[in-house]
Each structure stands twice: as structure tokens, then as C-alpha cells.
Amino acid sequence: MTLSEGTGLPAQSPPVEPAKTGHAPANGGQKRSWAGESGESVARNLVLVGVLVALIVIGAVTQPELYSDSTWVWNNIVSILQLASVVGVVTVGMTFVIIGGGIDLSVGAIVALAGVWCTTLATQSYGTVGMIFTALVVGVAVGLVNGVLISYGRLVPFIATLAMLVSARGLAAAISGKQTQISSNSFINSLASDRVLGVPLLVYILAVVAVAGWVLLNRTTFGRRTVAVGGNPEAARLAGIDVKLHTMLLYGLSGLCCGIAAIMLTSQATSAQAAMGNLYELDAIAAAIIGGTLLSGGRGTIVGSILGVLIFATITNLFAINGLSTEAQNMVKGGIIVAAVLVQQFRFKSLTRFFARNRATTAG
Amino acid sequence: MSTHAEPTGVEPDVVLRLTDVVKTFPGVRALDGVQLEVRAGEVHCLLGQNGAGKSTLIKVLSGVHRPDAGTVEWLGEPVQFANPQAAMKAGIATIYQELDLVNDLSVGENVFLGHEPRRFGFVRRGTIADRTRQILGSLGHEEIPARRMVHALEPAGKQVVSMARALSQEARLLIMDEPSAVLAHDEVENLFRIIRRLTAQGIAVIYISHRLEEIREIGDRVTVLKDGRTTAENLSAAGTPTSELVSRMTGRTIEYVFPPRPEEPPQTAELLKVTNLSRAGEFRDVSLSVAAGEIVGIAGLVGSGRSELLETIYGARRSDTGTVELGGRKLRAGSVGAAVRAGMGMAPEERKSQALLLGEPIYRNMTLATFSGLARLGFTNAGRERAEADRIAGSLDLRPLDVRRAVGTLSGGNQQKVVVGRWLLGDTRLLLLDEPTRGVDVGARAELYRVIRRLASEGVGVLLVSSEVPEVLGLADRVLVMREGRVVREAPSHEIDEDTVLDLVMSGSLMEGTPA
Ligand SMILES: Nc1ncnc2c1ncn2[C@@H]1O[C@H](COP(=O)(O)OP(=O)(O)OP(=O)(O)O)[C@@H](O)[C@H]1O
Ligand SMILES: [Mg+2]
């Protein structure tokens, strides 16, 4: 719908080959490499890696003194990773929802609700397990409510999750009495502060979630259904896939990721409050889009989404070390989103062809 | 009868000439030296197997693709169309093989998409509606409302809209890529009437079809493509023997025959039992049965409720009244899941909107209904999926035979093979096939028939819907004829002939009026 690449209708439209991608006419039937999923997404992700490297180079060029200090560089990398970790987990869930043809605007609010709920005095009295359990259950439950409204209540995902955004934050404020709730659980607090091999535990959590997400998307029947449901819901239904059930589960999965993110964010701040996770929905959606996830569903990769998150975190860091304002930063981010979509539309055909040709020749 | 190019002494004007046109896609030479010459006022037919390059050729002509080499001369001038609009402006109108309408716009908006009549920058909706009505009227389809949303139309109706769009601008060449594939018998006659009227005005027509009878009836000259090359140019459509056309197309001879039926019809147990099934406005009180190992065909016009019936049996639509039993067990109404679990499979009518994930590889499309079964503990088994898909692709002569290729890069007929192939793997007990050979060439068609017959001999029941009466009569053991939502005749297929079926099917269509 909204931001999908190439919403511009061809004036006298030729056969728009992959129906879901709705491209402009000039590229007629050839926006897919014959290599299918691999060739194209590899090319795409390599470009993202290139962008990431370029951003780091810009950092080094603008702040040569800082970059001459290797401890500072290491610490800076760690802080970028730490910055990316919480949004990264949310983005993994978001990627699934978008590939499945939906959108989840309530992720930030779910993070807040789960964070607040798991840090009430009552919950904290149940200890670490109680807190973690609460955060996850709250996340999944709210996600499933979204899912039920969308699948069985037939609400548009945009509207259902927008409503959830408002009410979940409202509930979070009510539970916390608009107070900041301090976490006195040392295990949870240690997730952000403790390091293994010099890397904070939060980063490991992101790594585990990302790997699990990758496996789930690429190697399991759940992932296969996700692509089918998002790519062509009618075809999925006629092939015997329970589209409604699966859609509901996708929102549950997104909620689960929000629950995990809530624990991580609580750990970072050693507290929780109703305003936490503000605008995470935008960061997560933007990262997924930059990572090549098609807003209209049916296509996307976890690797791309994680690269998208890292690119955003690096930009934020770049602005911070150069002492620039967040306003400028937001404007640049907006520009990057637009650029990413444009680049995807125009550049990947040729790159993909290049890769496909190489494969064709090596394959004989 | 169309006028055949008699030598009149004067060379008729050539409007279009292609010389050595080449077009490559990654890993494929889709066009590899094509010659084509089209004259004003003629119907020039393009013949070729699935994947021969016909659609690619017309996309080169209509500005969708640009040729890598070779020349296109249009009205005597070499041209390169930058985009479809440029070709349209130059007077080349195209009806594509895959319907290219915008579902969420009205009929009129689709017809004038890209060249809306405007005043002061505002689209003149009234004018659009009026002119659309005019064009539809001239096509003999005034019953299609200009303001109706396109998604509410049947496939045949969409085809008419597509045609109206091509006619909405002054064209000197009209290209039609398998226009008859979604049309029923009487609609094809109507199409031919329109084509004759256009050619009488000096408009040239390029006509693509896999049905040789049609080419004989409407065509003047024929050009044959094989593997992207012109293998025969400007043959006479009426005079060239079928065997020659087929061998130019395929490089071999194919006897276009249906596999033999088993001598003794299998008197096995009843597999599917449908009792008094009804859906308001679509079909009423339909009762039928299919035995294990039996092929039952349903003939009828588009709009007679055949596809709706099939989808309702499959649970994709919820019946108002009546029951569906498979193997003695009643199925829950309106649940595809229940039908699939009970062992049903359905290849739907519209491959693009109802069956395929165009960006996904062929093998994943083939295993879309079976990948769970091949998986272990929720983990998919891509290796086995590819092996299974390879097997089916081989038996259906899929081209190119590489199941990792995205299905969207296949030619139309090859995509169709994927749709049907999906249900040939796995252990389906009852196969519902809706127009299974739409767009499939003669050779591959014979393969498909053989596969279906073999499945039946293994005990699978088949319920087949087809607009091609010879296909129903040739493949099925028993035939049902539907008209206006009712089964009007049921007979073993050797007791009924094509004319009888057509009479039964048509007699209703004299009473004008569209079933809701
Ligand atoms: N966008 C594309 N990318 C890659 N290959 C393509 C693409 N479009 C077509 N091809 C390939 O080009 C060849 C010719 O395809 P084309 O669609 O022209 O066949 P066709 O003659 O129209 O067949 P059909 O009778 O099945 O419609 C096929 O091998 C097809 O796979
Ligand atoms: Mg074609």
C-alpha cells in the first residue's frame, strides 16, 4: 500500500510481472533474477554493507583524532552495537510481520507496556524468572490481540495496531502511575552492564534473536508460510494454508520480540516507564525497508533488516561524535529512507543481472 | 471468412518488419534472430511452443522490452520504443497474455488508464463512462457496467475490458497475445467478428494462440517461432498442413491424441459426493459424484457457475445449502483446510492471482501445498522439495528446466504447468482442475493429459472444468453440462458429442441476461 516501491502506475500499463511488486513499465518482466531469492538479496545486502563501511569511513574522516585511538574505536563500535541491539530485536519481529503482508505500529507501545508490567513491585517480587516471564507473556498476549483483531476481526493492520499503540501506552501509564519504576533485579540490570569478550550481553541477545529469526524465516515451514501469506494470500489460502491463523501468529511473534526488547531496554535504563520505546515502530519499519523488505509483503531478509538497524545506529553515532543536532539527524534519516527505496528500484536490476550472469557462467 | 492474401499484382503495404531481433534475459536467449513481416489489414498469426518467445516478441514491439540487436521497422521507419506509451502513441495497441488491469479501478478508468480525457487537469469521469460504454457496445458487451470495479468481473469480462482498452486509442496494429485462452466458445466467435471488422478498416492484427483451428479460421499468414528463432515465415494460414506447422514448432511430430481410456470403467467406490449444493446467484441444487479413478468433466459457458462450483466443493467459497462428502465423510463448508486435509487439491482458474508466488522459485511454488508434509519437525527440506519438483517438471516438459528459477520469469504456458504440477505431487485423492491447459501448447498438453490419466489409473478422482469441449469429451469418462448454474445433462462421454454439448450449452445463452 503506502510506501511500496513503485506505486507509480504505468500510464498504459504493460503486464506487471510480479504482481505484488508493481514496478514501472520500463523493466517489464525482468525484475527477478533467475537466481531467484539468493542472487537478488545477496546483491542488495552487499550494497548495504558498502553503505555501512562508507558511514564508518565518514566517521573516521571527520574525527581523525578520535579514530587514531584504538580503544576509543573499539568502545565506539560496542556502543553502536549496543544502540542497535534493542531496536534490532524489535525489527526482527517487524520483518516477519511485513513479509507476511502486515504492519505493526504498536511495537514501541508493547515494549513500554511489557517493560512497565515486568517492573512493578509485585512482579519484581517474583524474581528474575517472574519478570522475564511477565515481559514475554505480556508481549505475546498483546501481539495476539492485534492478530485476532486483524485476522478474525478483519481490521486493517494499520488501524488495529494504531489503536493498540494508543491503548497499550495508556495502560502502561496507568500501571506505572506515570512514575519511573526502578529495576532492582541485578540479573536484568547486568544484561546491559556486563560484558563477555568485551561485548555487552545485550548484543549477544540480538545475535541470538537474529539467528533464530533467520532460521525461522529461511529454514522452517513457518517462514515458508510467512512468505506465501504475504506474497499472495489467495494462492496461499487455495494451497490449504490457514492464512488467518498464520497472520495472527505473526503478530504474536512481533509481540514476543517486543517482550524481549522490553527486558533489554529495562536493563539499559535499570528502570522502566510508560514513555520507553517511543517511536520504535518508525525505526523498526525504516530499518526493515532499508534492508529490502517489501512493504506490500512477500519479500524480505533478516540480514537486510539487521544491516538496516546497524546503518541507522551508525548514523546516530556519527552525528553524536560530530556534535550535531538530532533535528539534522532525523532529516538525514528521512532522506536515507527515500534514497534506499529509490536505489532498490533502479539499481538492483543491473546488479542482480551481473550476479546472475556470473552464476550462469560458473554453473556452466 | 477472412480474405486471404491473393496475389493482386500490387504489393500490400507492409506496416511492420522485424529483422534479426535478439532479446536476452539473464541465462536465457528469449529471442535469437526473429524475422516478421506484417501487412496492413491482415491477421498475422504467431505460432510456437511454450517459451518459444512469442510474448517476449510482442513485448519488444509494444515497448516493454528493448531489443538487444536487430531492427524494428514501423511504417517504413526504424524505431525503438522507449516505453509502452510511445508504442501506443505510434499506433500499436497490445492485449497482453497476462491480464494487466488495475483491480481497484473501475472498468472505465482501466480502459482510459494513462490517456484519461481531461479538462483543466480534471479527469472527465462522465466522458470516460460514456466512451467506455460506446467501446464496450461495439464489442458486443454493453452489459458490463463502465463504473463497476474490475475485481468484480469474471476473467472473460476482464478480457473484454483489456480489449476495450486496446481499442480506446487509434491503432494501426493490434497485438493479441492468447486472447481466446479465457474466452468461451461463443465469445471467440464474437472476438473474430471484431477482428474482421478491424482488418476491413485496414488495421493489422498479430494474433497468438495455441489453437490451430482458430488460426485456420481467422488467420491470413503464419510465422512460426521455435526457441527464439523464426523457423517459418509467412505460411498460408489456411493452406499449410497441420503436420508441417507442428513440426516447424516442435521439431518433431506430435499426434495430438488423448490417452486411451481403460476398457472397463473402474467400478470402484464413490469418492466425492456432492448433494444439492447451492450458492445464491451462482449455481443451484447441484448433485454429482466422482468415483475413485474416474475423470469427470464439466462443460459449460464461462459464467455458467462451473468455477464457482469447483471452488465451493473445495471450500474456498461457503455453500448456502447442500453437502460435500469425500470418502464418506462430510466436509466442513467453507474450509479449504478441511478439504486439503481430506485429500482434495484444486488448480484454480487464474494462475497469477490465485495460484502463484511470482517472485519465488518454481520448486517452492510446486510444493506450496506439500512442503509441510516434506518437512521434518517444522524444518523445510529444500533438497527433497527440489527433487520432487524436478520430477514433475520433467514429466510436464517445463522449459527451462531449472526449478530454482523464479516462476515469474517463465512463459505463460510454463507457469500454467507449475500450477497444475503443484497437485500432481503429494497424495491427493481428488483433483479439481479448472482450465488446466489454459495457454499450454499442443505437445505439453498431450503430456498433461497423460499424467492426469495415469493419476486416475492409480485411483485418483478428477473433476475437470474446461471451456474446450473436445478436451472434456476426450479426457473425461463422464461429462456434466452446466448452464446458468444448473447441471442440465449428465452422460458417459462416449454417448455425447461436441455438437450436442454445444447445443445444450448455447440454448440458454440466447436468452440474454447475465446471472447476477
Ligand atoms: N523476465 C524474464 N526473465 C527471464 N526470462 C524470461 C523473462 N521473460 C521471459 N523469459 C524467458 O524467455 C523465454 C520466452 O518466453 P515467452 O514468454 O516469450 O514465451 P511464449 O512463447 O510467450 O510462451 P507461452 O506460449 O507459454 O506464453 C522463456 O524461456 C522464458 O522463461
Ligand atoms: Mg506467452
Side-chain angles (χ1 to χ4, degrees), chain B residues 110-183:
Chain B
N110 267 286
V111 169
F112 285 96
L113 190 65
H115 54 274
E116 297 87 354
R118 292 163 202 270
R119 180 188 279 165
F120 311 127
F122 289 96
V123 173
R124 305 174 62 177
R125 308 188 49 163
T127 316
I128 287 187
D130 290 345
R131 288 188 42 199
T132 302
R133 263 192 290 277
Q134 255 172 33
I135 299 170
L136 288 173
S138 74
L139 290 174
H141 280 278
E142 46 282 291
E143 85 282 0
I144 298 178
R147 292 181 200 269
R148 167 87 48 92
M149 285 292 149
V150 159
H151 62 73
L153 297 179
E154 295 297 317
K158 291 182 184 173
Q159 181 68 278
V160 172
V161 175
S162 204
M163 211 151 20
R165 172 144 105 203
L167 297 177
S168 68
Q169 280 192 331
E170 295 278 300
R172 300 194 53 183
L173 171 66
L174 181 61
I175 306 174
M176 303 182 162
D177 196 352
E178 299 193 30
S180 57
V182 292
L183 298 180

Side-chain angles (χ1 to χ4, degrees), chain B residues 49-56 58-59 97-98 177-178 208 210 351 410-413 439:
Chain B
Q49 284 180 290
N50 294 134
K54 304 178 297 296
S55 297
T56 307
I58 67 131
K59 284 183 195 167
Q97 179 174 17
E98 307 294 338
D177 196 352
E178 299 193 30
I208 299 178
H210 289 292
R351 53 179 170 253
L410 288 180
S411 77

